[in-house]
């Protein structure tokens, strides 16, 4: 359970929770770069990368305890294509993930633990997802994001609890994008006020996106962004005897499916600025998981580029709509 800090944005109390650079043993391998490195810091790609635990369960990786007979193949093929594209390009320095299930009720938290290790359990599907993780955090970039967000007026906190249990939405997206776990990570919480206040907007996520972009540029990172959320999010409440029984897998209803297609058609046509309004409409119509703000954060960090997204896969998991989408900046 993440700790909640009730402090005002930019206050001395908020800043005191981010005490300067990390000790030398915990600093990022990029800490000693020359000033010229800042000139190449940029976001090299953004991916809508949903996290259903079923996809990892279906792959049977050694880190996950439960075993399966496969399933959800088209979605998993989409992730295979994503990984192929990443490996064909210059290797990114860091993966930055915003996930809807690291829920913080006050402000935006960033994981600053240098080497998170433990087991992540999906609370609804512990029969499918009990995953042993061990990865590296780019602490310098994490602290830079906190500093930029604080400077833009957001309430922020650094997560430094070494025994923090990392949520399954963070782990799910990171595994599916990079199962080798050989790229450092920055993970950001979801301030889930939108789940509880009907008048909440996604404007704050745009500010967080801007803070993320500034931090990436200032630290000279080549970053890939991951928005770990599904689309339509109504789902079944009874699991089949065989969870991977694909004869039971289909959209929750036609209305949910049609709105997913409406959003994805706008993604495929571009530009991303069309999505500013459409994301909110899609949330109202489908209870979309994008209400946690991950997709808005990603597109804002990329500057709402004049681009079409490349939809690599679409599929349902327990009735929810899920798409793997790539946005690749020009140049």
């Amino acid at each position: 359970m993440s700790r909640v800090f009730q402090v005002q944005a930019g206050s001395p109390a908020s800043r005191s929770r981010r005490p300067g650079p990390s000790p030398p043993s915990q600093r990022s391998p990029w800490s000693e770069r020359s000033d010229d490195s800042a000139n190449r810091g940029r976001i090299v790609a953004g991916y809508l990368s949903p996290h259903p635990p079923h996809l990892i369960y279906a792959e049977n990786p050694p880190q996950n305890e439960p075993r399966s007979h496969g399933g959800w193949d088209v979605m998993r093929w989409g992730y295979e294509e994503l990984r192929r594209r990443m490996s064909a390009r210059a290797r990114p320095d860091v993966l930055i993930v915003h996930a809807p299930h690291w829920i913080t009720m006050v402000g935006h938290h960033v994981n600053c633990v240098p080497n998170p290790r433990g087991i992540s359990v999906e609370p609804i599907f512990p029969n499918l997802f009990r995953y042993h993780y061990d990865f590296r955090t780019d602490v310098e970039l994490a602290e830079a994001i906190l500093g930029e967000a604080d400077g833009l007026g957001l309430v922020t906190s650094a997560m430094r609890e070494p025994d923090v249990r990392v949520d399954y939405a963070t782990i799910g997206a990171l595994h599916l994008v990079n199962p080798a776990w050989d790229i450092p990570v920055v993970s950001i919480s979801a301030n889930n006020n939108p789940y509880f206040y009907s008048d909440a907007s996604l404007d704050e996520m745009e500010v967080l996106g801007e803070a993320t972009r500034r931090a990436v540029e200032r630290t000279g990172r080549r970053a890939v962004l991951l928005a770990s959320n599904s689309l339509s999010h109504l789902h079944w409440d009874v699991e089949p005897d065989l969870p991977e029984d694909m004869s039971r897998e289909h959209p929750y209803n036609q209305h949910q499916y049609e709105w997913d297609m409406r959003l994805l058609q706008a993604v495929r046509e571009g530009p991303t600025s069309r999505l500013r309004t459409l994301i909110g409409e899609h949330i109202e119509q489908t209870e979309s998981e994008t209400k946690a703000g991950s997709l808005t954060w990603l597109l804002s960090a990329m500057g709402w580029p004049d681009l079409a997204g490349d939809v690599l896969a679409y599929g349902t998991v327990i009735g929810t709509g899920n798409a793997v989408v790539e946005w690749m900046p020009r140049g």
Side-chain angles (χ1 to χ4, degrees):
M1 179 70 69
S2 60
R3 296 180 179 178
V4 174
F5 303 105
Q6 300 188 33
V7 295
Q8 295 300 311
S11 69
S14 177
R15 287 190 292 272
S16 71
R17 299 187 188 278
R18 293 185 295 282
S22 301
S25 63
Q26 298 180 1
R27 295 193 70 179
S28 161
W30 300 280
S31 298
E32 306 305 323
R33 285 177 170 166
S34 68
D35 292 341
D36 291 338
S37 66
N39 295 327
R40 73 180 187 90
R42 65 188 181 94
I43 295 165
V44 297
Y47 291 99
L48 178 60
S49 47
H51 59 264
H54 304 64
L55 303 184
I56 293 177
Y57 167 69
E59 287 191 346
N60 290 317
Q63 300 98 320
N64 197 38
E65 293 177 6
R67 301 289 92 184
S68 80
H69 296 92
W72 302 279
D73 300 86
V74 174
M75 283 294 299
R76 294 192 289 120
W77 293 341
Y79 271 111
E80 286 181 10
E81 174 62 13
L82 185 162
R83 295 191 293 264
R84 187 195 67 77
R85 293 184 181 196
M86 278 188 50
S87 65
R89 304 181 184 118
R91 177 187 174 90
D93 296 327
V94 64
L95 302 175
I96 309 176
V97 58
H98 186 279
H101 295 302
W102 179 13
I103 299 174
T104 52
M105 294 306 300
V106 178
H108 306 273
H109 298 206
V110 181
N111 193 340
C112 293
V113 178
N115 180 201
R117 289 178 289 178
I119 181 168
S120 184
V121 180
E122 214 281 17
I124 299 175
F125 295 102
N127 58 318
L128 306 184
F129 192 89
R130 300 189 300 277
Y131 188 101
H132 297 261
Y133 59 87
D134 183 345
F135 63 89
R136 291 178 296 137
T137 297
D138 185 341
V139 177
E140 183 186 23
L141 177 57
E143 292 176 341
I145 292 172
L146 285 161
E148 295 289 350
D150 188 65
L152 291 173
L154 298 180
V155 176
T156 61
S157 271
M159 167 54 72
R160 301 189 190 277
E161 171 53 57
D163 295 324
V164 60
R165 176 177 285 186
V166 181
D167 65 286
Y168 74 93
T170 296
I171 296 298
L174 290 169
H175 172 93
L176 290 162
V177 169
N178 181 41
W181 291 94
D182 57 355
I183 300 172
V185 169
V186 172
S187 59
I188 304 173
S189 78
N191 179 342
N192 273 27
N193 285 340
Y195 278 85
F196 301 101
Y197 302 109
S198 60
D199 61 347
S201 74
L202 296 173
D203 292 348
E204 196 165 299
M205 300 308 300
E206 295 212 33
V207 178
L208 184 63
E210 172 67 14
T212 302
R213 180 189 60 78
R214 291 185 185 187
V216 166
E217 293 177 349
R218 178 159 64 84
T219 57
R221 303 298 195 265
R222 297 180 67 261
V224 167
L225 306 187
L226 308 179
S228 172
N229 58 249
S230 300
L231 298 180
S232 61
H233 211 245
L234 296 181
H235 51 77
W236 316 120
D237 57 7
V238 177
E239 185 178 49
D241 292 336
L242 181 68
E244 56 267 40
D245 181 354
M246 291 296 99
S247 70
R248 302 285 297 275
E249 190 60 83
H250 57 84
Y252 186 85
N253 59 35
Q254 183 66 13
H255 178 79
Q256 302 282 294
Y257 173 78
E258 288 179 356
W259 269 91
D260 280 352
M261 291 305 103
R262 181 173 175 180
L263 183 71
L264 290 176
Q265 187 60 31
V267 167
R268 295 175 69 237
E269 293 173 353
T272 61
S273 58
R274 293 179 57 192
L275 302 177
R276 259 193 166 117
T277 300
L278 192 54
I279 287 172
E281 294 176 1
H282 184 261
I283 291 169
E284 291 295 321
Q285 293 292 329
T286 68
E287 294 297 322
S288 174
E289 200 173 37
T290 58
K291 64 186 175 183
S294 304
L295 181 55
T296 299
W297 160 81
L298 180 149
L299 294 174
S300 172
M302 298 184 74
W304 295 95
D306 184 16
L307 297 172
D310 192 356
V311 179
L312 307 183
Y314 174 84
T316 62
V317 179
I318 59 171
T320 66
N322 299 266
V324 179
V325 181
E326 177 186 70
W327 285 273
M328 179 63 60
R330 300 184 181 95

